[in-house]
């Protein structure tokens, strides 16, 4: 291709981020987009929704797909999450398999790698992330260990937290995208609705503030975003838990926990909507919703949604 043709080439495509829970997929998506869209937490299996987010450059558009961490499922929800993640592998133009620099490359990664290998995606990139947590030798050793898992077309070390090598990631992937249009119009950053994002932001604060098994038992539904005359948003959302005892923990003594979750979520929601927001949270018991395919579907968490 001559220089002129190369300069005029506009590339676009879909890039699926995959990896074990906690690898850093959602954090990388936010860092690439430069905006908080995906929720993140130290709790494994934070992501439940496949989310698309857009990275625009002058000569390319990358649609980054965040997926739930691939893991050994314990319930119907876990199976749906894996199905949703695996479902992205074949349709993507590129797969970025993430491994945290500070974790041990193990059986979980080997299992993810077998799916990467089977995928028909034309470009496969190994991403060692969380580079800020280790020295450069450890990052290189991790890269070498992970290279042995399957064939990758390229490998890169990044840190989402310190914005290290993010432009290199974007250039590298853009260069391997097919020629194509902007799939999303200018200004659109995600395919998630405001209601979905609000529910997710509330869930993130619950995940970060609650311990042990509670986060996994919990789901959030945004019931309404009503825009008021003075321009503020009045929002109602419901936190679902599986047992009466969990409801007490989520509400907390003197409703302190629920207030904390609400205050923290409202800050992110106001940034998202660029408006003042009132947030009314309630907690409802929905027994064993994680084992109920119907409820999983109603919450928009089924893989075929
Ligand atoms: N120091 C550091 N921490 C990171 C980095 N990326 C992610 N983390 C942390 O790692 C934890 C997991 O990050 P997530 O982005 O939620 O991981 P994930 O792969 O999306 O996890 P699941 O949604 O559960 O599959 C969070 O506590 C993040 O703050 C990074 O580049 N550096
Ligand atoms: Mg995630």
């Amino acid at each position: 291709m001559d220089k002129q043709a190369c300069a005029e080439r506009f590339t676009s495509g879909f890039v699926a981020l995959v990896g074990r829970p906690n690898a850093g997929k959602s954090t990388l998506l936010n860092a690439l987009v430069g905006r908080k869209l995906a929720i993140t937490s130290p709790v494994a299996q934070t992501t439940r929704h496949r989310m698309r987010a857009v990275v625009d450059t002058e000569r390319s558009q990358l649609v980054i797909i965040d997926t739930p961490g691939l893991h050994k499922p314990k319930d119907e929800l876990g199976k749906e999450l894996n199905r949703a993640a695996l479902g992205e592998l074949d349709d993507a133009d590129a797969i970025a398999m993430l491994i945290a620099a500070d974790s041990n490359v193990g059986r979980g990664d080997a299992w993810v790698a077998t799916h990467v290998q089977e995928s028909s995606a034309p470009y496969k990139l190994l991403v060692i992330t969380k580079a800020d947590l280790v020295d450069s030798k450890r990052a290189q050793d991790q890269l070498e260990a992970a290279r042995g898992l399957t064939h990758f077309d390229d490998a890169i070390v990044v840190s989402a937290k310190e914005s290290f090598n993010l432009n290199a990631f974007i250039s590298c992937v853009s260069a391997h995208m097919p020629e194509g249009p902007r799939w999303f119009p200018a200004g659109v950053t995600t395919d998630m609705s405001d209601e979905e994002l609000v529910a997710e932001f509330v869930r993130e604060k619950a995940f970060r503030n609650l311990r042990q098994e509670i986060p996994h038992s919990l789901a959030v539904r945004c019931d309404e975003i009503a825009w008021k005359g003075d321009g503020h948003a009045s929002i109602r959302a419901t936190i679902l838990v599986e047992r009466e005892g969990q409801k007490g923990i989520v509400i907390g003594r003197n409703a302190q926990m629920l207030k904390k979750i609400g205050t923290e979520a409202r800050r992110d929601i106001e940034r998202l909507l660029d408006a003042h927001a009132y947030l009314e949270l309630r907690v409802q018991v929905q027994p064993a919703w994680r084992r109920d395919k119907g409820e999983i579907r109603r919450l928009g968490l089924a893989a075929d949604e």
Side-chain angles (χ1 to χ4, degrees):
M1 202 183 294
D2 65 33
K3 231 178 169 178
Q4 183 68 27
C6 190
E8 279 167 9
R9 189 170 168 260
F10 189 90
T11 63
S12 62
F14 291 75
V15 186
L17 307 182
V18 298
R20 271 161 45 185
N22 234 9
K25 302 174 290 298
S26 303
T27 309
L28 180 61
L29 176 137
N30 289 340
L32 291 169
V33 180
R35 232 184 128 187
K36 184 216 170 95
L37 292 172
I39 66 166
T40 67
S41 91
V43 179
Q45 288 146 51
T46 299
T47 300
R48 293 179 181 164
H49 290 271
R50 178 215 64 195
M51 167 189 281
R52 294 186 174 137
V54 183
V55 176
D56 277 313
T57 72
E58 222 168 275
R59 306 295 333 149
S60 72
Q61 182 177 74
L62 300 181
V63 181
I64 312 283
I65 307 168
D66 188 17
T67 65
L70 286 163
H71 66 290
K72 209 171 177 186
K74 291 198 203 81
D75 48 34
E76 199 56 43
L77 175 63
K79 283 187 212 154
E80 286 298 312
L81 297 185
N82 272 0
R83 230 173 273 151
L86 293 174
E88 294 303 325
L89 291 183
D90 275 329
D91 296 335
D93 297 290
I95 295 177
M97 176 173 165
L98 271 69
I99 297 181
D102 66 331
S103 71
N104 289 320
V105 176
R107 274 167 45 193
D109 297 301
W111 185 69
V112 175
T114 60
H115 291 287
V116 172
Q117 188 168 9
E118 285 163 13
S119 153
S120 55
Y123 181 66
K124 295 168 184 175
L125 175 66
L126 169 65
V127 181
I128 304 299
T129 186
K130 308 195 192 182
D132 56 290
L133 294 179
V134 299
D135 60 26
S136 58
K137 173 162 186 332
R138 166 80 212 218
Q140 281 308 314
D141 288 350
Q142 186 77 333
L143 195 136
E144 288 314 316
R147 263 186 199 283
L149 291 170
T150 182
H151 166 78
F152 292 103
D153 297 294
D154 277 318
I156 189 168
V157 176
V158 306
S159 162
K161 211 147 237 174
E162 296 194 343
S163 297
F164 169 66
N165 258 353
L166 300 184
N167 286 334
F169 175 99
I170 292 169
S171 311
C172 190
V173 176
S174 298
H176 290 88
M177 288 292 109
E179 220 165 309
R182 285 191 197 275
W183 295 106
F184 285 77
V188 173
T189 48
T190 178
D191 64 343
M192 298 272 277
S193 66
D194 286 344
E195 283 79 2
E196 287 170 312
L197 290 170
V198 162
E200 285 290 88
F201 288 2
V202 172
R203 194 164 64 82
E204 177 183 80
K205 303 313 174 193
F207 264 52
R208 289 185 179 191
N209 283 295
L210 296 162
R211 298 279 163 265
Q212 286 162 12
E213 95 285 13
I214 308 267
H216 297 296
S217 305
L218 182 151
V220 180
R221 188 181 65 216
C222 176
D223 302 304
E224 184 183 34
I225 302 179
W227 289 97
K228 300 295 176 185
D230 63 356
H232 83 260
S234 178
I235 299 169
R236 286 187 304 111
T238 305
I239 299 177
L240 303 178
V241 291
E242 294 191 307
R243 292 194 301 274
E244 205 55 49
Q246 294 170 335
K247 182 173 171 177
I249 295 170
V250 174
I251 293 172
R253 188 172 300 164
N254 299 325
Q256 283 305 317
M257 179 54 83
L258 196 60
K259 262 189 214 146
K260 189 164 194 287
I261 292 169
T263 307
E264 291 179 8
R266 190 165 53 81
R267 269 187 224 127
D268 282 353
I269 291 168
E270 290 190 330
R271 215 167 294 140
L272 171 80
L273 300 176
D274 199 17
H276 284 297
Y278 292 123
L279 175 62
E280 185 190 319
L281 290 180
R282 62 187 192 116
V283 187
Q284 184 186 315
V285 179
Q286 184 80 45
W289 68 265
R290 278 182 292 172
R291 272 173 276 156
D292 180 346
K293 187 85 194 267
E295 193 56 41
I296 289 170
R297 194 174 294 280
R298 276 189 288 282
L299 286 163
L301 298 172
D304 50 5
E305 288 285 301

